[in-house]
Amino acid sequence: MSNTAKTLTPELVKKLWLAFILLVLLMGTSYVAITGYFANKHNQETTQRLNADVANHVIAEKFKDASPFLADGSVNKPLFGDLMHDMMAVNQGIEVYLLDDTGEILYSVVLDHSDSAPAKRVSLAPIHAFITDRGEKFVLGDDPRNTAEQKIFSAAPYSVDGRNGFVYIILAGKKFQQVSSTLMGQYFAKLGLGAFLLTMLFSTLIGVLAIWFLTKNLRAITGTVRRFQEGDLTARVENPEDSDISILANSFNAMADSIVGNMDKMQSVDSLRRELIANVSHDLRTPLAILKGYIETLQMKRDTLSENERQKYLQITHDNVDKLSKLINQLFEYSKLEAEQVAPVKEPFSITELSHDLIAKFRVLAEHKNIALQLDNPEANCMVHADVSLVERALQNLIENAIKYTEPNGKVTLSLKKEGANVEINITDTGTGIPVNEQPFIFDRYKQVNISTEKQGSGLGLAIVKKIMELHDTTITVLSKPKEGSSFIFNLPAYQVS
Ligand code: ADP
């Protein structure tokens, strides 16, 4: 556990935590702000509903014995002084205004006169709405002492001495506001602190769990990657499909497989290369040593050698030069095929015609060994779709081997047979055959059976054939019995002449 925990970079965990804390703070602040807003609204609505009748009450109580206006039409200030007295005793948070029927403020009773310029009038629309709904609905009206704000109020119409207007009472007056904001500040501090602590506690718990779950699979993958990096090439993410990040798990497993595959390939290519160099140097050294020996003999014993001996030595020299050049050509050809530098140019051609040409070419060699070389072709003309020069090369190697490994008076047959969409090509000889246990390896480079025999070649002929088959997406099969003979069989796609 402690080991896997270390496998996640602290940066990622730090970022996750940072994001989480930001989220918690944002949530906490929003929670406090929303609660505050609704608590304030609730408080205002309650206050307005509770005090909806205050204005009516003022009219009923104060205006029943005395008019709010004096005989000269001015406001009855002593009456309102009396009202102020009551307010000081009962509710310091309210402010009372006497309005005419246009909303103009005729007189105001406020306890705190610190405002520089109170408004001269208020809008009548909220007052009408309030009176119509009899204080049942939450309505905000103009605050003459703070025109930027709307306040809860109570209002009631009066009609005295032929004068109409309204008693307009701001319920959350300046004093109310001061007390309220002090209390609200404290309330918010407590609410904020409580909410913050609770949110922090729960979100830390949820956060720890969430981050643990979120990073569980990531930790497993990082652990595996690290093991792989430290040299454990077998390290793979277990059950990648179960992971939340299965794409990553699968990609890592696939990447690890391909890295290991490539490493194996490189190792085998490397060992093959070393084998090739060792074999090539050996193969080149032998004919070169023979050549050197005979040339030295010819030079040193120039005067003592008979004409016959000289001819024999020259013939041996010539044969070895042939062998060397053949070997070099085969090596060159093979390395080009192996390096995948040869791209087959596939085209339709007559395999029958090609077989006739090859039989004619090898006839002399076969006759030389008294071997019957024949073409068994019941079809008039077999067409295939393949690279003509590569197929010719493969057939050459196979016929050459068949003649090479067949004793005099034997037979080598090249037969062509249409098999569905393919043409089957079969080179059969009555030669030495190949032991069953050797058969799987004869297509490998330098694999030679009967090494001791004089017929030894380069060991590259069949390896080249195999590469040519691979380029044609086909395979070659060998059927062979020692002392009875061998058959090499392969298919090429037939070309249908329309
Ligand atoms: P080489 O140059 O030695 O012939 P090849 O790659 O052509 O190399 O063949 C590999 C080995 O397979 C040969 O050494 C030989 O032992 C065996 N082989 C190939 N063709 C035949 C055949 N037609 N009959 C018997 N043995 C064969």
Side-chain angles (χ1 to χ4, degrees), residues 154-307:
S154 168
Y158 67 84
S159 184
V160 184
D161 303 335
R163 296 176 71 161
N164 297 323
F166 301 93
V167 170
Y168 181 60
I169 303 176
I170 294 291
L171 297 170
K174 207 163 186 182
K175 188 85 181 166
F176 179 97
Q177 216 69 38
Q178 279 163 0
V179 176
S180 169
S181 56
T182 319
L183 285 178
M184 270 299 221
Q186 289 171 2
Y187 172 75
F188 269 120
K190 281 185 210 156
L191 177 78
L193 189 69
F196 182 75
L197 285 179
L198 269 181
T199 322
M200 262 323 238
L201 181 74
F202 287 118
S203 17
T204 308
L205 270 175
I206 295 169
V208 168
L209 283 175
I211 289 175
W212 191 84
F213 273 112
L214 273 175
T215 56
K216 192 173 146 228
N217 290 313
L218 200 57
R219 278 200 310 275
I221 294 174
T222 343
T224 317
V225 173
R226 193 149 291 175
R227 274 202 291 136
F228 190 82
Q229 182 200 6
E230 281 162 4
D232 177 4
L233 297 181
T234 58
R236 297 286 182 283
V237 181
E238 281 171 29
N239 307 324
E241 293 309 326
D242 297 346
S243 172
D244 307 330
I245 33 180
S246 56
I247 294 185
L248 186 62
N250 279 323
S251 307
F252 168 75
N253 283 356
M255 185 193 77
D257 285 346
S258 83
I259 288 176
V260 172
N262 284 341
M263 278 169 73
D264 288 348
K265 219 172 174 179
M266 274 162 69
Q267 272 169 358
S268 82
V269 166
D270 194 49
S271 79
L272 284 175
R273 187 167 299 133
R274 261 185 271 135
E275 191 192 333
L276 182 78
I277 290 169
N279 285 317
V280 167
S281 47
H282 176 261
D283 287 350
L284 294 177
R285 216 181 296 132
T286 315
L288 272 176
I290 297 170
L291 269 177
K292 196 174 170 236
Y294 280 97
I295 290 170
E296 274 172 7
T297 315
L298 278 168
Q299 274 178 335
M300 284 190 303
K301 299 187 177 173
R302 196 184 311 169
D303 302 328
T304 52
L305 283 177
S306 67
E307 186 56 28

Side-chain angles (χ1 to χ4, degrees), residues 401 404-405 429 432 434 442 447-449 457-459 461-462 486:
N401 275 351
K404 187 159 58 168
Y405 297 105
D429 63 59
T432 53
I434 307 156
I442 54 168
K447 197 75 201 173
Q448 292 172 325
V449 188
S458 63
L462 288 183
S486 317

